Amino acid sequence: MDSVLLHAEAEGYIQSLERISLREIGSPKWFRQHEYIEKLNMQAILNASANQEEFIKDLFVSLGKIPTLVHGMILVEIWKQKVFPILCQLQDFSPRSTFPLYMVIHHEATIINLLETIMYHKESCEAAEDAVLDLVDYCHRKLTLLAGQSARGENPNCDRVSHTELSDMNSIQDLHNQSSMLDFEISLKALSVLRYITDHVESLSLSVLTRMLNTHNLPCVLVQLVEHCPWSSKQRGKLEKYEEGKWREIPAEDRLKITKLDGQVWISLLNLLLKPDCQRKYDFNNFNKNQLLKLRGFLTEVVIDQLPNLADLQRFLSHLAVTDPAPPKKGLVLEQLPEIWNEIIAENSGKWKAIAKHQVQKVFNPSESELRKQANRLAQTYNLDVMESLIPDKPKCGTCGARGVKRCSRCQGEWYCNRCLHQPYIFIRHFVIECQVKHWPKHKPACQLMADATEKLQKELNIKT
């Protein structure tokens, strides 16, 4: 399997990571760290998916850099809320390209993706130290937003942007649309991170448990996710589920199968409701009790067959329905509080417009030569062969659904099969052309857009191909 980084390179990258101010977002220093984190994320996924030694995780733990990751993620979250809206309204904001802005928006998704990979391990949760409180708050914000949008029927119904399509993003409205789509996917990643924190809650400080159960009442938030299932949607009578960055139509025989995201919610609930420390800490008042009892309607035999541990949760809820648990003990506890969000807000309060003006003039209006350098550096970061090895599902022919082995030579964005490989060449050629011809009326508009946009970008920036 291709490798993105050697051990020594990864160690140097992680050692160089540092906290950056809000004003520096988008600067060359920030972009250099963004490239490092992108490469570290790809290498971490490669190691985890191949069951290899996860040296990226080990280095983050030993070098104590997980809190730096959490800080960088929350920094971009605040920038998107406080600075980006002002920046877009400034009259003198007319960038040559919105690509640098998109990379800032995408940075939050990159970090949560990396955290999803490394926080699976107990030592990573412990190495996060006090920043795990900020991470719990972050996950709560994302899941609350996700549950609220789902209850109102506002979930996005389009797929995330691909790197092939970035060059066709020309307007601020495109950026807002993609930011909304990324926020949806970020929230799904936050669900996985929260589940891993609940897995290892016994080894974390008591303040983490208090924050999850009492401050944020996460069990009731998770009930809302079970009830409204944001990653499932019915379109024109067909069931679709969001998996691996795409909405996929689910065939009738698979509709009762639980997805990975369903499993993350149920395991989080198991951890927060059945672990002894959690039961002693949680307040089973009438409201919480009534919310939790809603879960009984979703614990069918089919679900329990797929996740047998849910039988324990079913028994617990049956017992809860006929009893009134004792109120939680309220001892004298010195509770830790999250610091990262409050520190960033306090440091920049009242300066949002000044930061936006500075970034319009100095950061997000690069010259053609600066854009060319950024494009070339990012082209090196996103190695196509490595990116393809990160895709969990093998590409499929756009016409017949067989395994894809050849790309559209024009746009490089669509795959076609070559399943007649054992036949004489003339039959291979005939079959491939037949699939492409059948698919061409559907593929032509997207192919034309991507090819023209790529050619235009390369011509403008004078990128060597």
Side-chain angles (χ1 to χ4, degrees), residues 164 410-411 445-458:
T164 315
R410 189 181 189 201
C411 71
C447 184
Q448 184 71 44
L449 282 172
M450 288 189 285
D452 290 350
T454 302
E455 182 180 351
K456 180 181 176 183
L457 184 65
Q458 290 175 347

Side-chain angles (χ1 to χ4, degrees), residues 345-390:
I345 293 293
E347 181 183 349
N348 298 283
S349 182
K351 304 176 184 177
W352 312 118
K353 190 170 184 178
I355 292 171
K357 287 184 175 180
H358 164 77
Q359 292 180 340
V360 164
Q361 296 170 1
K362 304 293 185 181
V363 177
F364 295 121
N365 195 20
S367 65
E368 288 187 8
S369 62
E370 290 171 332
L371 270 175
R372 185 163 56 249
K373 288 179 182 178
Q374 282 184 0
N376 282 320
R377 289 176 67 93
L378 288 168
Q380 296 171 9
T381 299
Y382 297 113
N383 178 280
L384 189 60
D385 293 333
V386 175
M387 293 291 288
E388 286 176 7
S389 68
L390 300 180

Side-chain angles (χ1 to χ4, degrees), residues 157-362:
N157 56 6
C158 58
D159 298 335
R160 69 184 174 202
V161 70
S162 69
H163 289 92
T164 315
E165 298 167 317
L166 288 180
S167 58
D168 196 41
M169 245 199 296
N170 296 317
S171 71
I172 298 301
Q173 185 58 47
D174 289 332
L175 280 176
H176 281 293
N177 294 341
Q178 288 303 326
S179 180
S180 297
M181 188 61 233
L182 277 175
D183 282 339
F184 175 70
E185 188 152 332
I186 286 168
S187 298
L188 303 184
K189 299 292 184 182
L191 173 59
S192 296
V193 172
L194 178 69
R195 174 259 160 120
Y196 300 143
I197 293 173
T198 65
D199 281 345
H200 309 300
V201 71
E202 296 96 339
S203 62
L204 304 176
S205 71
L206 186 59
S207 296
V208 175
L209 190 58
T210 300
R211 201 139 192 95
M212 288 194 293
L213 294 178
N214 299 342
T215 306
H216 296 315
N217 197 358
L218 280 172
C220 284
V221 176
L222 294 170
V223 170
Q224 293 296 309
L225 294 179
V226 172
E227 192 172 11
H228 298 290
C229 198
W231 44 89
S232 179
S233 173
K234 283 192 175 181
Q235 299 289 338
R236 298 180 296 276
K238 297 179 180 180
L239 178 66
E240 295 183 348
K241 293 188 178 181
Y242 192 80
E243 298 176 337
E244 307 297 344
K246 290 183 179 294
W247 286 99
R248 303 176 188 273
E249 184 180 334
I250 306 299
E253 63 270 18
D254 292 338
R255 291 189 175 187
L256 296 179
K257 288 184 179 179
I258 64 173
T259 65
K260 176 185 173 183
L261 292 165
D262 295 321
Q264 301 288 38
V265 175
W266 285 116
I267 294 172
S268 299
L269 282 165
L270 278 170
N271 290 334
L272 290 175
L273 295 177
L274 299 191
K275 289 187 175 183
D277 288 344
C278 297
Q279 289 188 352
R280 286 192 292 268
K281 194 74 177 174
Y282 190 58
D283 185 4
F284 291 94
N285 56 41
N286 285 335
F287 173 81
N288 292 344
K289 180 177 174 179
N290 290 333
Q291 289 296 306
L292 294 175
L293 291 178
K294 292 180 181 180
L295 296 173
R296 292 191 298 174
F298 298 93
L299 288 170
T300 63
E301 289 185 9
V302 175
V303 171
I304 294 174
D305 283 344
Q306 295 174 76
L307 264 180
N309 288 350
L310 292 180
D312 295 333
L313 179 59
Q314 188 180 49
R315 285 190 290 270
F316 169 78
L317 293 173
S318 298
H319 180 72
L320 180 65
V322 296
T323 60
D324 291 315
K329 296 181 179 178
K330 296 182 179 180
L332 181 62
V333 178
L334 295 176
E335 183 181 349
Q336 291 176 284
L337 296 174
E339 299 177 351
I340 294 175
W341 174 280
N342 291 336
E343 285 179 356
I344 295 172
I345 293 293
E347 181 183 349
N348 298 283
S349 182
K351 304 176 184 177
W352 312 118
K353 190 170 184 178
I355 292 171
K357 287 184 175 180
H358 164 77
Q359 292 180 340
V360 164
Q361 296 170 1
K362 304 293 185 181

